Amino acid sequence: MKISVLGATGPSGQQTVLEALERGYSVVALVRNPEKLTVKDDKLQVCKVDILKEEDLVPHIKGSDAVVSCIGGRASLFGWTPCSLYTDSMKSIVGAMRKSGVNRLIAMTSWGTKATEGEPFMMKWMLRPLFIGNLLNNMGEMEDYLSKDCQDINFTVVRPPGLTNQPSTGKTVRAENGRQFLDGSATQISRRDVAKYMLDIIQETSVYNACVAVGVDKN
């Protein structure tokens, strides 16, 4: 298995790279700052690219079994800073995939990309209005772009709750198609558990062209 990982220098991207290497996969890490990725492995290739330029991505994505995007934006106080990173980067990624003949895509967003009834208190009253509203809005716009304009791409959007840097819990990751959050799930999940799930579903056709909320049981 060969995968291309975008956002590989971020905390979620690094866990995805490490998990893939543990599985014996060949990994192409597409990054803006290669020096930030300190992982060394014979099966890891680190390439400096501009993620917003599809022509930069094409030669490195070509030949991959899947593209995994762990690209993440920065939160801002009151969530006022405009964000277009998710849509801008995804349009570049999809364009590069089409040109390189790769059609399996997995991308991370978050619980709550669209406000829904019954969402967790912390998301509704604190995180959305005070910190990450701008990120959630653009994540939602990216999801809409994939759903409306990318039916030729076998995409899965993975929506996790709050992410931690704790080791994998070893718990089974629950996933439900079309949901913004999961009832009965912990409001946090380790990045490694999300990485495991994303790699597990690379060949899982039941989640093609879908946005799935993921989580682990509270107890």
Side-chain angles (χ1 to χ4, degrees):
M1 181 76 70
K2 178 181 179 181
I3 65 170
S4 294
V5 181
L6 294 109
T9 57
S12 295
Q14 290 189 46
Q15 291 301 315
T16 302
V17 168
L18 289 169
E19 179 63 28
L21 291 173
E22 281 196 11
R23 297 181 183 207
Y25 295 177
S26 295
V27 179
V28 180
L30 305 177
V31 299
R32 283 187 272 196
N33 299 298
E35 64 277 6
K36 290 186 177 181
L37 189 60
T38 58
V39 180
K40 305 294 181 183
D41 192 282
D42 291 342
K43 289 184 174 289
L44 174 63
Q45 180 182 2
V46 183
C47 304
K48 183 177 181 178
V49 299
D50 183 340
I51 61 173
L52 301 182
K53 294 181 179 179
E54 63 181 66
E55 63 271 19
D56 270 18
L57 304 179
V58 171
H60 305 300
I61 287 175
K62 191 171 184 178
S64 296
D65 295 291
V67 173
V68 181
S69 176
C70 300
I71 293 171
R74 292 189 177 184
S76 64
L77 186 60
F78 301 119
W80 287 346
T81 304
C83 176
S84 63
L85 174 64
Y86 295 96
T87 45
D88 290 345
S89 61
M90 188 52 65
K91 289 175 183 178
S92 174
I93 293 166
V94 168
M97 291 178 65
R98 286 170 173 155
K99 289 180 179 179
S100 60
V102 177
N103 70 352
R104 181 65 175 124
L105 169 68
I106 300 169
M108 284 183 62
T109 58
S110 170
W111 279 12
T113 55
K114 304 288 179 66
T116 55
E117 184 177 352
E119 70 180 355
F121 177 89
M122 183 71 72
M123 177 69 72
K124 182 175 182 178
W125 297 107
M126 296 188 69
L127 296 178
R128 187 185 303 282
L130 295 179
F131 299 105
I132 59 172
N134 60 334
L135 303 185
L136 292 173
N137 289 339
N138 194 230
M139 288 177 186
E141 292 166 351
M142 184 196 80
E143 293 174 352
D144 290 343
Y145 164 69
L146 288 171
S147 296
K148 294 175 182 178
D149 299 328
C150 303
Q151 290 301 306
D152 59 316
I153 301 293
N154 294 327
F155 70 86
T156 304
V157 174
V158 177
R159 297 168 171 161
L163 297 164
T164 76
N165 294 320
Q166 298 299 313
S168 171
T169 61
K171 294 181 178 179
T172 299
V173 175
R174 292 171 49 210
E176 292 188 27
N177 190 359
R179 294 291 304 276
Q180 287 287 341
F181 61 92
L182 295 183
D183 294 321
S185 172
T187 56
Q188 292 188 318
I189 188 172
S190 80
R191 298 178 193 276
R192 191 56 167 256
D193 282 341
V194 178
K196 288 183 175 184
Y197 175 77
M198 291 194 297
L199 298 181
D200 285 346
I201 63 168
I202 287 176
Q203 296 179 313
E204 182 52 65
T205 59
S206 66
V207 290
Y208 281 9
N209 302 99
C211 298
V212 298
V214 299
V216 295
D217 291 337
K218 292 179 180 180
N219 298 318

